[in-house]
Amino acid sequence: MTASTGPRKPIGVGIVGLSAGGGWGSRGHVPALQAVEGYELRGLAASSAQAAQRAAEAYGVPAAYSDVSDLARDENIDLVVIAVRVPRHRELILPALQAGKAVLSEWPLATDLAQAEELALLAERHGVRTAVGLQSRSAPAVRYLRDLIADGYVGEVLSTTLLGSGGGWGPAVGSGGAYTVDRSNGATLMTIPFGHTLDALTMCLSSFEELSATTATRRPTVEVTDTGETIPMTAEDQIAVSGRLAGGAVASLHYRGGSSRAANLRWEINGTDGDLVVSGNTGHLQFGQFDISGARGKEQHLAPLPVPARYQEVAGVEGPAAVVAHAYAQLREDLHTGSTTVPDFRHAVEHHRLLDRIARSAETGTRQ
């Protein structure tokens, strides 16, 4: 849809990957859309006509398709949401772009940088608004953290240290998530928990001017819990990155697979006048489930810094879907006004490029 300053019509949404059996589409997108005014879930596309009909009945969706091209051609659909596994993103995004529809794709945008560049170029050629699910940027707590830093809470940022656990990529995996241990599928520790958190870090501070990285796969095999099968893991389960940010601060990040009995998320930001600490029980920062504490000036001990109410723009939804709802609220304004608050495919390319630099540094042993 094109930006307009006239009376606002509801944005018709079609979801690709909404299943009656559950999944991120039902857990993340449906409750988020229900919580944000100005959207109507009007259609969906699934892997078969039967699966589409079951999902339509389960969620009360009026139009069900087995082909994303038919969904994209539906005149009642303004925004196509891609909520499927990463390897299928490209083939499902293309018909929506060709139909001239706005597209919101889950992150990662593509399995590799080349695919992401192709999709961004096609979107620009067709002149459509795109968005990518890097929803950490929309999280109230992340936006508050960014503003604390920008407003000088810590003074000049000297350094930042981040430690996180991926939850997955540990000793075992369910069959539904087994595809994530194969690096070629693009849904890895590097791209998902680390990738989401890294995007929030660059939003709050700045991107890397130079970096060095070390990665490893310390568990070469994992057990599939519901079958007892042992399968190879080619995705990295250890990621360590250090370097200098464009703003001058020194940064050190370490993500590991599985979970820790100690800290699963601890992010410190140290400055000339103060310190900030982000802590939580999951390294998936994009879920928004963490706390902020800080101290500055003559204060000797950290104190909680609750997120002010003004950052909470959406009510009535909890858990990870709450951050998705905030992203939808921002995207609604982007679609109606032409603003670009929610990151688009071009931003996704830049983030893919940063992750590519990290992987290249780890593979070659060179500073990037």
Side-chain angles (χ1 to χ4, degrees), residues 23-337:
W24 181 238
S26 63
R27 291 185 293 109
H29 289 273
V30 170
L33 287 166
Q34 291 172 339
V36 181
E37 292 184 2
Y39 288 101
E40 291 180 355
L41 180 52
R42 297 174 179 169
L44 62 85
S47 56
S48 69
Q50 293 78 11
Q53 190 57 42
R54 286 195 298 270
E57 292 171 358
Y59 303 106
V61 181
Y65 301 97
S66 59
D67 189 328
V68 69
S69 297
D70 294 331
L71 176 70
R73 285 193 294 265
D74 188 328
E75 63 181 12
N76 293 314
I77 302 300
D78 304 305
L79 172 67
V80 176
V81 175
I82 306 298
V84 299
R85 294 178 177 181
V86 184
R88 298 199 65 202
H89 280 189
R90 178 184 179 277
E91 66 177 283
L92 298 174
I93 290 171
L94 288 177
L97 295 179
Q98 291 163 354
K101 297 296 174 71
V103 178
L104 165 60
S105 173
E106 274 295 349
W107 171 265
L109 175 58
T111 56
D112 57 35
L113 176 59
Q115 272 193 11
E117 290 174 333
E118 176 195 12
L119 292 170
L121 182 60
L122 286 172
E124 291 174 1
R125 285 179 179 172
H126 288 283
V128 298
R129 177 65 165 98
T130 59
V132 66
L134 285 165
Q135 66 265 24
S136 293
R137 289 177 170 256
S138 303
V142 173
R143 291 186 285 118
Y144 178 45
L145 181 67
R146 174 200 60 193
D147 291 347
L148 283 170
I149 296 165
D151 293 342
Y153 184 94
V154 301
E156 181 183 358
V157 178
L158 301 174
S159 66
T160 187
T161 307
L162 195 155
L163 176 67
S165 301
W169 303 278
V173 65
S175 57
Y179 80 104
T180 64
V181 306
D182 183 345
R183 186 181 182 187
S184 66
N185 285 328
T188 64
L189 177 72
M190 174 80 81
T191 61
I192 299 179
F194 179 80
H196 276 289
T197 304
L198 179 63
D199 190 56
L201 183 148
T202 60
M203 170 187 169
C204 293
L205 301 173
S206 61
S207 192
F208 277 87
E209 186 172 279
E210 60 179 20
L211 61 86
S212 295
T214 300
T215 62
T217 304
R218 298 287 292 136
R219 290 186 174 98
T221 61
V222 297
E223 179 187 353
V224 182
T225 53
D226 39 340
T227 68
E229 179 187 7
T230 297
I231 60 174
M233 180 157 68
T234 58
E236 307 90 341
D237 60 10
Q238 300 290 328
I239 303 166
V241 181
S242 64
R244 187 173 67 250
L245 303 180
V250 172
S252 176
L253 294 73
H254 180 198
Y255 256 67
R256 62 274 178 103
S259 297
S260 170
R261 296 173 181 82
N264 286 308
L265 178 66
R266 183 175 177 85
W267 176 14
E268 292 189 21
I269 300 159
N270 312 112
T272 54
D273 299 329
D275 303 282
L276 288 165
V277 175
V278 172
S279 57
N281 292 323
T282 172
H284 289 257
L285 191 80
Q286 73 275 16
F287 293 163
Q289 298 170 324
F290 58 84
D291 298 314
I292 302 172
S293 57
R296 58 179 173 171
K298 295 182 179 180
E299 297 167 349
Q300 296 298 309
H301 303 286
L302 296 172
L305 294 172
V307 179
R310 66 180 181 276
Y311 290 90
Q312 303 288 352
E313 300 170 0
V314 182
V317 60
E318 297 180 353
V323 180
V324 180
H326 279 81
Y328 270 117
Q330 292 178 335
L331 181 59
R332 178 193 59 201
E333 299 307 303
D334 285 347
L335 293 172
H336 282 304
T337 69

